[in-house]
Amino acid sequence: MFKRYIVILCVLLGIVGLVLACEPLADPPALPTPVINTVAPVFEPSPEITPTDLPPQLPLAAKVDGAGILLSEYERELASYRASFAETDAIPSDAEMRETVLNFLIEQQLLVNAAHQNGFTLSDQALDEKIQNLSNEIGGQDALNTWMQNNQHTPESLRQSLRLAAEAAWQRDQIIAQIPDTAEQVRARQIFTIYQGDAINAERSLAGGTDFEQIAWRYSPESGGELGWFPRGFLLFPEIEEAAFSLPVGATSQIIQTELGYHILYIIAHEDAHPLTTDARVMLQNKALQAWLNTAREQAEIEILIP
């Protein structure tokens, strides 16, 4: 089954770089939807707004708490997603693509519904500005008309897609804004090897008085085993994170085995409130967003109307 978690985070937040051994996970390409500016758009508070039901005569792919997802929107997103893969890519099966796109649209609608419940809806003026900006970016109205034709959009469907994306982005921003700028963090260095015998030899060298950093550079000549600062929930392997946060500053861990190989940690520093790096903050935002989506999905009434 295609990794829905990764695809949804990529679409709503962006991509976090891959770093070997203990550093953050990478995200694959996102669904090819319109780019959303992270700056909150102009809006008009509407406390009484409820999820908008689309006209019943229009075929729907799904309903989320009564709000309809147009079948045409689903088919358009599916076609765009299929077209995003190069011939050399590992292309998911048709069933996986359909599931990925449908899950994306459902979770986008969950965000939109929550935005409405929280009193936000994109004003027509703000929507007009977004369309004008899009037109300017791609070279004018004629270019926009060509783009809409190539992407099976009408002016009405484009407005609907941009409105949904902007309203989902607003709710997303409310969720990720809860992640603070600082957090409890550890700074550590590691000796890493894929061979158990090397790890045992490194451990013996440390016991004999050899400097940890010297050995770390020997096994990781590109970085010296520097892991930098990281908060809880950031590392690839929880067993390494557990050791890092449980050891005192200046301590060295025992050999820790993971799927990648063998690790020995040295704790350089530990602070209760250290500024988060951009990568770490994005990772925590991703996790907060996914947790919110999981809860919202469990509580929502979702009706799938396509095979």
Side-chain angles (χ1 to χ4, degrees):
M1 175 175 159
F2 198 70
K3 295 183 179 177
R4 175 178 63 84
Y5 165 82
I6 295 177
V7 172
I8 296 302
L9 297 186
C10 289
V11 171
L12 298 175
L13 282 176
I15 300 174
V16 180
L18 173 65
V19 182
L20 183 63
C22 298
E23 302 187 31
L25 291 167
D27 299 323
L31 287 170
T33 52
V35 176
I36 301 173
N37 194 317
T38 56
V39 178
V42 178
F43 69 96
E44 299 172 351
S46 304
E48 302 301 323
I49 289 178
T50 57
T52 302
D53 281 322
L54 295 163
Q57 68 271 21
L58 296 177
L60 301 178
K63 284 187 177 182
V64 181
D65 287 332
I69 296 173
L70 283 173
L71 179 61
S72 59
E73 182 70 10
Y74 164 77
E75 291 173 341
R76 191 164 40 245
E77 288 290 347
L78 182 59
S80 180
Y81 186 40
R82 282 181 177 140
S84 69
F85 290 93
E87 293 182 0
T88 56
D89 291 338
I91 300 177
S93 69
D94 189 67
E96 288 172 330
M97 288 191 188
R98 289 177 178 275
E99 181 181 11
T100 296
V101 171
L102 185 59
N103 280 328
F104 165 69
L105 291 173
I106 287 172
E107 296 194 353
Q108 176 180 255
Q109 191 64 55
L110 287 169
L111 290 164
V112 170
N113 291 353
H116 290 178
Q117 292 166 6
N118 289 328
F120 171 82
T121 184
L122 188 70
S123 70
D124 288 338
Q125 179 182 355
L127 180 56
D128 290 340
E129 291 174 359
K130 283 184 173 293
I131 294 173
Q132 185 59 54
N133 290 338
L134 177 59
S135 176
N136 294 339
E137 288 173 4
I138 66 175
Q141 187 61 48
D142 289 343
L144 179 59
N145 291 339
T146 300
W147 180 88
M148 286 193 293
Q149 183 177 4
N150 292 339
N151 290 274
Q152 305 174 31
H153 263 302
T154 64
E156 293 76 16
S157 69
L158 178 62
R159 290 181 68 85
Q160 176 71 1
S161 293
L162 291 178
R163 185 185 295 278
L164 289 172
E167 291 175 349
W170 182 88
Q171 180 61 33
R172 173 207 63 196
D173 289 346
Q174 310 313 299
I175 298 166
I176 67 177
Q178 300 174 27
I179 300 300
D181 293 329
T182 64
E184 180 189 10
Q185 294 186 72
V186 166
R187 181 186 173 196
R189 186 184 298 275
Q190 71 167 347
I191 296 169
F192 170 73
T193 175
I194 61 174
Y195 302 110
Q196 184 178 24
D198 287 345
I200 293 173
N201 289 336
E203 192 173 47
R204 289 172 178 168
S205 295
L206 290 171
T210 305
D211 181 69
F212 188 99
E213 185 173 352
Q214 178 182 341
I215 301 174
W217 277 106
R218 185 189 310 161
Y219 285 98
S220 301
E222 72 290 345
S223 66
E226 174 68 55
L227 298 177
W229 289 93
F230 50 87
R232 295 181 186 274
F234 186 65
L235 296 185
L236 181 60
F237 297 106
E239 55 266 43
I240 295 179
E241 181 179 289
E242 181 180 354
F245 279 88
S246 63
L247 290 168
V249 173
T252 300
S253 74
Q254 297 179 335
I255 296 173
I256 304 169
Q257 183 177 0
T258 68
E259 295 175 8
L260 289 181
Y262 301 87
H263 314 252
I264 303 174
L265 299 182
Y266 175 77
I267 308 305
I268 301 172
H270 188 158
E271 294 183 7
D272 292 334
H274 188 82
L276 289 165
T277 64
T278 299
D279 283 350
R281 194 162 192 267
V282 169
M283 175 69 78
L284 295 180
Q285 288 172 340
N286 283 343
K287 290 191 172 186
L289 176 61
Q290 190 59 44
W292 185 95
L293 287 169
N294 290 343
T295 299
R297 186 158 187 152
E298 289 174 0
Q299 297 174 349
E301 182 178 346
I302 299 172
E303 185 179 0
I304 307 299
L305 302 174
I306 54 176

